[in-house]
Amino acid sequence: MSFTILQKRELVPTLHQMEINAPRVARKAMPGQFVILRIDEYGERIPLTIADFDAQAGTITLIFQEIGKTTRQLASLAAGDSIADVAGPLGNPSAIEKFGTVVCVGGGVGIAPIFPIARALKSAGNRVISVIGARSADILFWEDRMNEASSELYITTDDGTKGHHGFVTDVVQNLLEHGEHDEHGERAIDRVIAIGPPVMMRAVAGVTKPFGVRTVVSLNPIMVDGTGMCGACRVLVGGVTKFACVDGPEFDAHEVDFTLLMSRLAMYLPEEKEALDCDLRSSVGEAAAEPTV
Ligand code: NAD
Ligand code: FES
């Protein structure tokens, strides 16, 4: 069985949205879960969080950034093309219950996976305050979807081109310090969930820890099999080794060893760069070899 791409578009430069026909995955998908896909039988396996799903239509939506050889190849596919394997849904779903007031933080590409979580938390009766951030307004996406999925939405940009000029953590800090109080004057933020670059998730954890607010992050270490057998996705949480694919991907942010996560994520950067350079050289070679008319 192959998986047909139904729609594909570039949301902002190098960031792509793809809707794939995957009825069995769509039927079981829950917020917070991911798939591992392989473009063809020789392809690298890449984990991508399910950004949206429609059980009735049998489709899932993936958002990915063109950063290496495989994501560049994926970006070159169009509606009507097929992907060899889409394995999933994998990982544990997000905890969706009535917590009270929940702050959902999405940084950069992390806006895509935070969206279905915010939507489900709002449907479960929570007051959802979302904070989404991008480096600049021109690479911010899904503001409309996040607006619908949230009771309140804050936007930040690193360069000040939209919303608050600064990081998502500035808004989270402000909400914790001044924004949310119950009738007794106590802090009334019950939970924070943050998805984005590890440096952002570490910073969110640092902001919420002194306030004692339960904070959850979704980790994205290197993955291979996605079923707990290879050990590639190991992370350290509370001093204990966990496999993000089967024990996560969500963990208590105050217990995660982000330094180890970041060093393991950087482990294969030279090989990834070499593969990308090689791919770029061969496409330049192919273009040069093409007959001119
Ligand atoms: P980015 O570098 O553009 O940062 C996005 C936002 O995060 C910024 O606008 C800012 O508000 C915040 N941020 C960044 N650095 C910060 C810091 N030091 N302190 C406080 N806030 C900070 O993000 P990007 O380029 O879109 O990020 C891509 C990364 O996100 C990749 O590493 C990717 O693997 C990761 N990602 C993770 C998941 C996941 O499931 N955890 C999902 C998608 C993407
Ligand atoms: Fe292999 Fe998690 S990806 S153990």
Side-chain angles (χ1 to χ4, degrees):
M1 175 180 181
S2 66
F3 298 83
T4 309
I5 299 167
L6 303 174
Q7 280 185 36
K8 147 89 195 318
R9 70 189 182 102
E10 193 168 18
L11 280 179
V12 297
T14 73
L15 189 76
H16 303 268
Q17 175 172 332
M18 199 175 249
E19 195 177 301
I20 301 172
N21 183 47
R24 281 153 79 174
V25 181
R27 224 172 13 243
K28 295 203 164 166
M30 310 265 271
Q33 292 187 295
F34 63 95
V35 293
I36 290 192
L37 64 80
R38 216 167 44 132
I39 298 175
D40 55 44
E41 63 177 305
Y42 307 107
E44 178 193 13
R45 298 162 61 87
I46 52 167
L48 290 172
T49 313
I50 303 171
D52 204 358
F53 48 90
D54 183 333
Q56 272 190 328
T59 59
I60 58 167
T61 303
L62 304 176
I63 303 282
F64 63 93
Q65 198 165 29
E66 246 179 276
I67 39 173
K69 178 176 183 281
T70 302
T71 45
R72 188 167 172 263
Q73 191 187 346
L74 193 60
S76 73
L77 302 179
D81 290 339
S82 291
I83 291 170
D85 307 318
V86 178
L90 299 167
N92 298 299
S94 305
I96 305 294
E97 21 179 302
K98 192 162 177 191
F99 296 110
T101 297
V102 185
V103 176
C104 290
V105 187
V109 188
I111 295 169
I114 204 76
F115 162 70
I117 299 173
R119 181 177 58 185
L121 286 168
K122 192 175 171 207
S123 297
N126 293 283
R127 177 155 174 257
V128 174
I129 304 176
S130 295
V131 185
I132 56 172
R135 269 168 272 142
S136 188
D138 57 1
I139 54 168
L140 184 75
F141 66 98
W142 280 16
E143 182 185 337
D144 49 346
R145 287 190 186 219
M146 285 304 297
N147 209 10
E148 253 179 59
S150 315
S151 319
E152 226 174 286
L153 177 67
Y154 293 89
I155 290 169
T156 71
T157 48
D158 303 8
D159 63 1
T161 44
K162 188 159 198 178
H164 167 76
H165 185 175
F167 287 161
V168 284
T169 37
D170 303 341
V171 176
V172 176
Q173 175 96 37
N174 198 41
L175 285 170
L176 288 164
E177 277 177 1
H178 311 292
E180 295 297 310
H181 296 282
D182 63 14
E183 66 274 22
H184 310 294
E186 299 290 323
R187 165 195 56 74
I189 289 175
D190 301 286
R191 196 177 179 89
V192 173
I193 171 154
I195 309 184
V199 65
M200 180 210 92
M201 295 191 286
R202 181 175 65 181
V204 171
V207 166
T208 60
K209 194 164 183 190
F211 294 89
V213 178
R214 167 93 172 140
T215 303
V216 173
V217 286
S218 175
L219 302 186
N220 62 326
I222 292 166
M223 289 193 186
V224 180
D225 65 310
T227 58
M229 288 189 287
C230 71
C233 67
R234 75 182 160 81
V235 289
L236 209 55
V237 183
V240 179
T241 295
K242 300 275 182 191
F243 292 160
C245 67
V246 287
D247 300 321
E250 290 178 8
F251 294 100
D252 180 343
H254 300 145
E255 298 287 332
V256 171
D257 184 335
F258 285 102
T259 309
L260 181 70
L261 173 72
M262 288 190 257
S263 73
R264 286 185 58 79
L265 276 168
M267 229 164 40
Y268 297 108
L269 286 181
E271 287 81 359
E272 282 169 25
K273 185 176 178 311
E274 192 183 328
L276 183 62
D277 288 347
C278 187
D279 194 45
L280 288 172
R281 275 198 303 275
S282 68
S283 33
V284 170
E286 275 164 31
E290 266 173 18
T292 46
V293 269

